[in-house]
Amino acid sequence: MAIADRFLYIERPSKYPVQPVFPIRRFLSSDAWRRLPFACRALLIAFAALIPLANAHAAAYVTRHCDDLAGKTVPASVIGLPTRGALIATASVVKAVAPGNRNGEYCRITGIIKALQDTTPDIRFEVNLPSRWNGRALQMGGGGYNGVLVSGTQPMPFAPDSTPLARGYATFGSDSGHVGNSGRADFAVNDEAIVNFGFAHLKKTRDVALALIQMGYGRMPDKTYFAGGSTGGREGFTVIERFPNDYDGVIANAPAINFSGVRLFGVKVGQASYAKPGGFVGIAQQRRVFDTVMHECDRLDGLADGIVGNVEACRKLEPQIIASLRCANGQRPSLRDSCLSDAQLDTLELLRDGLSMPYALAYGVADYPGYNVFQGVDFTGALGLGDSPTLLTPPTFAANGYLFAQGDAYIRHFVTRDPNFNALAFDIDNPAHFRQRLITLSYTVGAMNPDFSAFIAHGGKLVAMHGLADEVISPNQTIAFYRGLIEHYGQDTVDSFMRLYMVPGFQHGNGVFIPAWDELGALDDWVTNGVAPETLIGSDIAPATNGRTRPICRYPGYPRYVGKGSVNLAASFRCVAP
């Protein structure tokens, strides 16, 4: 194995795990508590009453001495992966009344974690310490190829009404170790930068942030959580698999866990669209597919509401849907017709079927499940299949589709490291000397390790959500991974640490139904109080239907209209099995 490839495997276990807090509520209801003398119980209750006062005192100290943190360093010895330490560049109090601030008063800290090599970009980070601290810490993940500093001051995705920082969480994030999120993946010329992007920035940022929390409040957090979507969702699974003792709970939405798989599949989609005559599916045809599916499948959940809720029932209608889309004799459509030719249907059926390779990537993964093409995915948007039959160099999201543009960038910058390489000519089934590179990369930038045993033993909890109409990351990969966990651990064990919610009508951040719901509250209640989430309520923030509510059902359930009551209220729906 080449030295560059060996470098991508660098990993060290955490040396400074967060210690669990003694479960007070459980103790107060135990026989051991009842056997204690009355005086001892009174003393313990008095001591417990002082904890909020101690928190308030520590939080007040943070804001009084925030400026003193500027210029301080965090030594490499307290960071669980190799670095040259961290430097605090700025530290200042943001007042509650500051213009545009919705987070209350907090100490804002920014800095860098120094890379091992001078040619590698440093990791930029931000840590926010609220004056009213709830004793918890939250690391927030990035998106795409990252490259943008995650400030930790923004709302949680799909919970826009409040920010974790305003709720008292100490929040933190980073840029994953490079600047710029153009989608071109130029940073991949540097192996250390790839490692940082893949997993190392998560551990490095977490350890620096907890050192600053200790420095600011005089103690470590009671609980430490991670939350992210898309790339951030992959990062959520990554911290479970690589650093299981560092986190008490994780939120992972639309997780890009099979990162190499989705990028290689994007190349396949591009080859079907542009290397095969007539394979490109135009906007009119994309719209025809969506409208046909809605006509056939919208009412399968008991209500015509613009949402394909019963995806599995819709899947059974797929043959007749395809037949109604096909042009007469399979020929190309005329200018006045939006039917689909055989070549165009071949492209969509590839998109439905997914990728299958004759060799395995990391953890034995040799496929990437396809998309719900004929079950309500709208590929006409900014992250869809594109609008041009002409291939640009390099391809763009708008013209040639998100999947292919990202796959092309992955081949050029991550795999071949040749910016002029033609991804249409890349043979995925027989990649020759690039095969080991593909395998190595899949270990580094993926999160397909099925071994969750350490996270389970730690008592960690995972809340995962994915839209069934996602056009960017296949929801069927998330379902397949979840089923694999059940096969390995059994349903009862998986239920003890994981909740999976698959949301009809939700795409990759957009869609005909965009849920706003309190994932963080649900996770914290589970971790802190042992209250496992079941059916949750989502409020639609899609502009056309803003404010309607639906049940967010545990997989495999979906929300079905009961036949009476307001069609805009979750109470009129029940979660049922498909």
Side-chain angles (χ1 to χ4, degrees):
M1 187 184 298
I3 292 176
D5 287 340
R6 288 204 301 269
F7 187 80
L8 300 187
Y9 284 104
I10 290 178
E11 177 180 354
R12 255 188 227 166
S14 169
K15 296 195 299 182
Y16 302 94
V18 175
Q19 297 300 316
V21 175
F22 188 79
I24 295 294
R25 293 189 180 198
R26 188 181 306 167
F27 176 62
L28 292 179
S29 62
S30 69
D31 290 337
W33 169 258
R34 286 188 286 269
R35 287 196 297 267
L36 284 175
F38 176 81
C40 292
R41 282 186 279 173
L43 182 62
L44 287 172
I45 290 172
F47 173 76
L50 292 175
I51 292 176
L53 297 177
N55 283 345
H57 175 76
Y61 180 88
V62 163
T63 53
R64 285 202 308 269
H65 298 277
C66 179
D67 294 349
D68 297 341
L69 294 173
K72 296 286 195 305
T73 61
V74 177
S77 59
V78 302
I79 304 173
L81 290 177
T83 72
R84 289 188 289 179
L87 171 66
I88 300 175
T90 69
S92 60
V93 174
V94 179
K95 295 293 187 181
V97 295
N101 179 27
R102 57 185 299 185
N103 295 303
E105 185 178 76
Y106 65 98
C107 174
R108 177 177 181 263
I109 304 166
T110 67
I112 59 170
I113 303 170
K114 298 177 184 177
L116 292 175
Q117 300 173 350
D118 291 336
T119 54
T120 303
D122 295 326
I123 298 169
R124 296 182 302 153
F125 69 85
E126 179 168 332
V127 179
N128 307 291
L129 306 180
S131 61
R132 295 179 177 271
W133 186 38
N134 65 8
R136 295 164 177 78
L138 175 67
Q139 183 172 5
M140 301 177 76
Y145 278 115
N146 287 344
V148 176
L149 178 61
V150 176
S151 70
T153 60
Q154 299 302 311
M156 286 273 294
F158 320 119
D161 292 335
S162 66
T163 69
L165 182 55
R167 293 165 69 169
Y169 286 85
T171 63
F172 56 97
S174 80
D175 66 356
S176 84
H178 64 273
V179 176
N181 190 8
S182 65
R184 303 313 310 157
D186 300 1
F187 70 92
V189 68
N190 183 295
D191 281 312
E192 189 180 1
I194 292 179
V195 171
N196 280 334
F197 167 72
F199 63 88
H201 82 97
L202 299 165
K203 174 64 174 169
K204 294 172 183 178
T205 303
R206 179 262 180 200
D207 286 358
V208 169
L210 262 64
L212 295 177
I213 290 171
Q214 172 76 55
M215 195 182 301
Y217 295 119
R219 70 179 184 89
M220 298 291 269
D222 301 327
K223 304 294 180 185
T224 300
Y225 301 141
F226 184 93
S230 193
T231 289
R234 170 184 65 81
E235 292 172 339
F237 276 76
T238 296
V239 300
I240 289 173
E241 296 164 17
R242 291 182 181 269
F243 317 114
N245 294 318
D246 285 354
Y247 300 86
D248 301 288
V250 169
I251 292 170
N253 296 325
I257 50 178
N258 190 352
F259 193 86
S260 293
V262 69
R263 292 295 180 254
L264 294 176
F265 186 43
V267 174
K268 279 281 192 182
V269 172
Q271 291 170 344
S273 298
Y274 294 104
K276 181 179 179 181
F280 176 75
V281 182
I283 288 291
Q285 285 73 36
Q286 295 172 37
R287 175 55 62 183
R288 171 77 174 268
V289 173
F290 180 76
D291 290 344
T292 300
V293 169
M294 295 306 299
H295 180 269
E296 297 293 332
C297 298
D298 190 0
R299 292 184 179 273
L300 295 176
D301 57 7
L303 178 68
D305 58 354
I307 301 172
V308 177
N310 193 346
V311 168
E312 293 308 313
C314 184
R315 210 180 300 280
K316 295 178 182 178
L317 301 180
E318 193 171 290
Q320 68 192 56
I321 291 172
I322 293 175
S324 70
L325 293 170
R326 191 184 303 275
C327 296
N329 303 316
Q331 301 301 309
R332 298 184 66 175
S334 67
L335 293 177
R336 292 175 294 179
D337 196 354
S338 59
C339 64
L340 280 82
S341 68
D342 285 348
Q344 290 173 322
L345 285 172
D346 285 347
T347 298
L348 294 183
E349 288 173 0
L350 168 71
L351 193 56
R352 172 202 66 193
D353 294 339
L355 174 69
S356 180
M357 298 182 297
Y359 57 92
L361 300 177
Y363 305 107
V365 175
D367 60 8
Y368 185 78
Y371 295 71
N372 295 327
V373 179
F374 302 107
Q375 289 81 42
V377 182
D378 185 356
F379 283 103
T380 64
L383 301 180
L385 293 177
D387 61 9
S388 176
T390 301
L391 179 60
L392 303 182
T393 303
T396 67
F397 296 172
N400 310 120
Y402 179 89
L403 289 175
F404 179 53
Q406 290 284 36
D408 174 86
Y410 188 70
I411 294 298
R412 293 174 191 256
H413 298 292
F414 275 78
V415 180
T416 67
R417 287 178 161 169
D418 178 356
N420 298 314
F421 192 90
N422 180 10
L424 291 184
F426 189 81
D427 189 344
I428 294 174
D429 289 343
N430 299 286
H433 61 285
F434 292 119
R435 177 169 169 174
Q436 183 57 54
R437 178 72 178 168
L438 292 174
I439 295 171
T440 301
L441 285 168
S442 68
Y443 275 103
T444 306
V445 300
M448 290 294 289
N449 184 355
D451 184 2
F452 275 37
S453 56
F455 187 69
I456 296 170
H458 177 64
K461 307 299 181 186
L462 166 64
V463 176
M465 182 271 279
H466 207 144
L468 284 164
D470 196 322
E471 76 277 38
V472 170
I473 305 298
S474 174
N476 298 311
Q477 175 65 90
T478 301
I479 291 171
F481 191 91
Y482 173 75
R483 288 174 173 170
L485 290 175
I486 293 173
E487 183 177 345
H488 184 73
Y489 292 106
Q491 186 72 62
D492 289 345
T493 297
V494 173
D495 287 347
S496 73
F497 75 87
M498 182 177 183
R499 290 290 183 270
L500 175 61
Y501 297 90
M502 304 300 297
V503 182
F506 182 46
Q507 297 196 204
H508 203 75
N510 55 9
V512 293
F513 179 77
I514 306 174
W517 58 323
D518 187 11
E519 274 185 291
L520 183 57
L523 177 70
D524 184 52
D525 201 23
W526 193 7
V527 171
T528 304
N529 302 318
V531 180
E534 296 296 334
T535 300
L536 301 174
I537 303 299
S539 180
D540 193 359
I541 57 175
T545 47
N546 190 282
R548 66 177 173 177
T549 58
R550 290 287 186 274
I552 306 295
C553 303
R554 287 184 59 190
Y555 178 80
Y558 74 92
R560 182 174 182 83
Y561 183 57
V562 299
K564 58 182 179 180
S566 172
V567 298
N568 292 318
L569 293 180
S572 303
F573 295 78
R574 295 290 181 272
C575 291
V576 299

